[in-house]
């Protein structure tokens, strides 16, 4: 039996979340719904200009681990923070959710713990401006072989593909995971991330490095450079290494999700949210729910329904971490079998 159901690798980021309007995005020359990488000077300038903010531990892969843990999965996280105030808060928050987080602190003389300034417009859409800071210091040395071997699924966020050393860390994790007979998953993370690394992401799928791919429909269309959803999905069905099973899960907001494989495409309806307050973390929590279901032995459709429920909970409030026990919600809805 694996020691962990899900191990995620990602950028350890503290979220600084504030409500704003479209006019502020225009004045700051920000593309609505995008994720922008910024330097420390821009981070300080944007923080001074944005309104009252809530500070919450986040990061895409970390959010996925927390979502899986809230559903009862045994989850772990590998990411880098410095031992500063935000870094200590981050480590405490992760461990408090039940996620195993044992990555060594970054060097004290290096950049500060990362933070993402998330601007939420009235429609719930979020525009992220991220100072990666200590995140960029993740290296292959941070990949503990025993931990990866002991995880049924190792999951990487596409954002981690930016720093070269972190990219090497991911490749090391893939080799270890597949060497142990375990699965590897990737989320494309962001359309602009896809634009930067389209060829490399496709190569990961085609060479057999990936068993599961997560994307939203915008990222998928960016991957295949098409505005047509059907064209993108048809191309996705042909992906993967011929000697390995390949599964893709595509989220489409209120239209639910698609489960895509060579065998066909299956649509799964969305879970109706109580309200839409902040879309931050919806895709992260969907992935956490899906992976928790998969490692529990649920089929793909049931796992997608679990993911949809987790996403619906997180968009009903500020912040990308669940505020209710997802396991209790799922049991009440009869989603855990």
């Amino acid at each position: 039996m694996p020691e962990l159901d899900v191990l995620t690798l990602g950028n350890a980021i503290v979220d600084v979340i504030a409500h704003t309007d479209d006019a502020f995005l225009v004045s700051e020359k920000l593309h609505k719904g995008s994720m922008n990488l910024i330097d420390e000077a821009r981070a300080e300038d944007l923080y001074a200009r944005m309104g009252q903010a809530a500070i919450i531990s986040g990061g895409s892969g970390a959010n996925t681990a927390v979502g899986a843990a809230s559903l009862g999965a045994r989850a772990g996280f590998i990411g880098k923070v410095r031992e500063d105030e935000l870094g200590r808060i981050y480590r405490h928050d992760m461990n408090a959710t039940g996620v195993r987080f044992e990555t060594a602190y970054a060097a004290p003389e290096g950049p500060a713990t990362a933070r993402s300034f998330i601007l939420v417009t009235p429609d719930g859409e979020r525009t992220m401006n991220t100072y990666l800071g200590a995140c960029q210091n993740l290296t292959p040395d941070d990949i503990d072989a025993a931990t990866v071997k002991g995880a049924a699924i190792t999951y990487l966020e596409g954002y981690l593909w930016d720093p070269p050393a972190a990219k090497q860390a991911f490749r090391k994790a893939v080799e270890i995971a597949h060497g142990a007979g375990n699965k590897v998953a990737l989320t494309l993370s962001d359309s602009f991330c896809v634009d930067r690394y389209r060829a490399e992401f496709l190569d990961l799928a085609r060479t057999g490095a990936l068993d599961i791919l997560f994307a939203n429909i915008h990222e998928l269309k960016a991957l295949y450079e098409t505005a047509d959803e059907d064209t993108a999905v048809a191309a996705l069905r042909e992906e993967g290494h011929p000697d390995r099973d390949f599964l893709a899960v595509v989220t489409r907001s209120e239209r639910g999700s698609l489960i895509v494989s060579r065998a066909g495409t299956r649509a799964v309806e969305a879970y109706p949210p109580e309200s839409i307050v902040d879309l931050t973390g919806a895709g992260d929590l969907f992935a956490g729910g899906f992976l928790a279901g998969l490692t529990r032995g649920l089929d793909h459709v049931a796992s997608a329904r679990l993911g949809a429920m987790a996403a619906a909970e997180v968009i009903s409030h500020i912040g990308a971490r669940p505020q209710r026990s997802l396991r209790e919600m799922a049991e009440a809805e009869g989603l855990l079998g």
Side-chain angles (χ1 to χ4, degrees):
M1 291 291 293
E3 294 182 9
L4 293 174
D5 298 309
V6 180
L7 173 67
T8 70
L9 281 70
N11 289 325
I13 301 173
V14 176
D15 291 337
V16 182
I17 307 171
H19 286 285
T20 191
D21 54 26
D22 290 340
F24 181 80
L25 300 184
V26 172
S27 69
E28 294 297 318
K29 300 180 180 179
L30 298 173
H31 187 280
K32 187 174 180 177
S34 65
M35 196 291 285
N36 310 290
L37 295 177
I38 59 176
D39 59 20
E40 191 167 1
R42 174 59 171 156
E44 293 176 356
D45 178 67
L46 190 59
Y47 185 56
R49 294 174 183 272
M50 64 194 293
Q52 184 176 358
I55 298 177
I56 305 170
S57 294
S60 176
N63 294 337
T64 294
V66 171
S70 185
L71 282 160
R74 298 163 300 170
F77 173 65
I78 295 175
K80 208 73 171 176
V81 296
R82 201 177 79 183
E83 194 174 5
D84 50 21
E85 181 180 4
L86 289 180
R88 288 188 291 269
I89 290 172
Y90 193 94
R91 185 177 294 279
H92 170 269
D93 286 353
M94 288 298 291
N95 289 322
T97 66
V99 174
R100 184 192 299 179
F101 178 36
E102 300 172 340
T103 311
Y105 281 117
E109 65 274 12
T113 295
R115 66 284 316 266
S116 181
F117 301 95
I118 301 174
L119 302 168
V120 184
T121 41
D123 58 0
E125 187 60 84
R126 76 276 190 270
T127 302
M128 296 181 287
N129 303 273
T130 304
Y131 166 60
L132 289 173
C135 281
Q136 298 176 93
N137 290 341
L138 188 74
T139 73
D141 291 340
D142 293 308
I143 305 302
D144 179 69
T147 301
V148 177
K149 287 179 181 178
I153 300 176
T154 295
Y155 170 97
L156 178 94
E157 61 174 79
Y159 290 135
L160 199 65
W161 209 248
D162 277 304
K167 184 183 299 188
Q168 295 169 14
F170 172 53
R171 291 192 181 279
K172 177 181 177 180
V174 170
E175 183 177 351
I176 294 169
H178 280 165
N182 301 327
K183 293 186 179 298
V184 174
L186 169 76
T187 174
L188 293 182
S189 293
D190 179 87
S191 296
F192 293 91
C193 188
V194 173
D195 288 339
R196 293 193 295 276
Y197 301 112
R198 179 179 295 107
E200 292 177 71
F201 287 160
L202 287 171
D203 185 65
L204 287 172
R206 293 167 182 173
T207 59
L210 302 180
D211 303 287
I212 307 169
L213 179 71
F214 289 92
N216 66 34
I217 193 61
H218 306 296
E219 294 156 1
L220 185 66
K221 288 191 285 190
L223 185 66
Y224 294 108
E225 299 181 274
T226 178
D228 183 70
E229 179 175 320
D230 291 339
T231 299
V233 173
L236 183 62
R237 281 190 59 184
E238 302 301 317
E239 291 297 354
H241 190 277
D243 296 332
R244 296 186 69 91
D245 291 332
F246 181 74
L247 177 71
V249 188
V250 182
T251 56
R252 305 182 297 166
S253 300
E254 71 277 1
R255 293 190 295 138
S257 61
L258 298 175
I259 299 169
V260 183
S261 69
R262 297 187 191 97
T265 301
R266 175 72 182 270
V268 181
E269 68 277 7
Y271 186 97
E274 294 180 1
S275 60
I276 299 177
V277 176
D278 174 14
L279 294 175
T280 308
D284 305 337
L285 269 293
F286 179 93
F290 187 91
L291 293 174
L294 207 60
T295 57
R296 191 183 178 92
L298 301 183
D299 63 30
H300 296 158
V301 171
S303 296
R305 288 174 178 153
L306 203 59
M309 185 212 73
E313 191 283 335
V314 84
I315 68 175
S316 68
H317 55 76
I318 286 288
R321 303 274 174 94
Q323 293 183 354
R324 300 169 57 187
S325 166
L326 296 180
R327 182 172 186 170
E328 291 179 2
M329 286 182 63
E331 289 174 345
E333 294 288 326
L335 296 176
L336 284 179

